[in-house]
Amino acid sequence: MVSAATVTDSDYTFTGQPSGKTLKVEIISANDAGQAQPSVTAEIVVP
């Protein structure tokens, strides 16, 4: 996995990805107490 973005909102839009590409997405939330465990990896195919 490669860190693609640090997001401070609940919405994020992946841009610049070619049609048909499969993205694997994993979320790791964090706050003052530290980081949570990663989410289950989701696969998204760019339309």
Side-chain angles (χ1 to χ4, degrees), residues 7-31:
V7 180
T8 57
D9 200 352
S10 60
D11 293 329
Y12 183 78
T13 302
F14 290 95
T15 58
Q17 301 299 319
S19 181
K21 180 172 179 119
T22 299
L23 305 176
K24 293 183 179 181
V25 179
E26 171 176 282
I27 308 298
I28 302 172
S29 60
N31 60 24

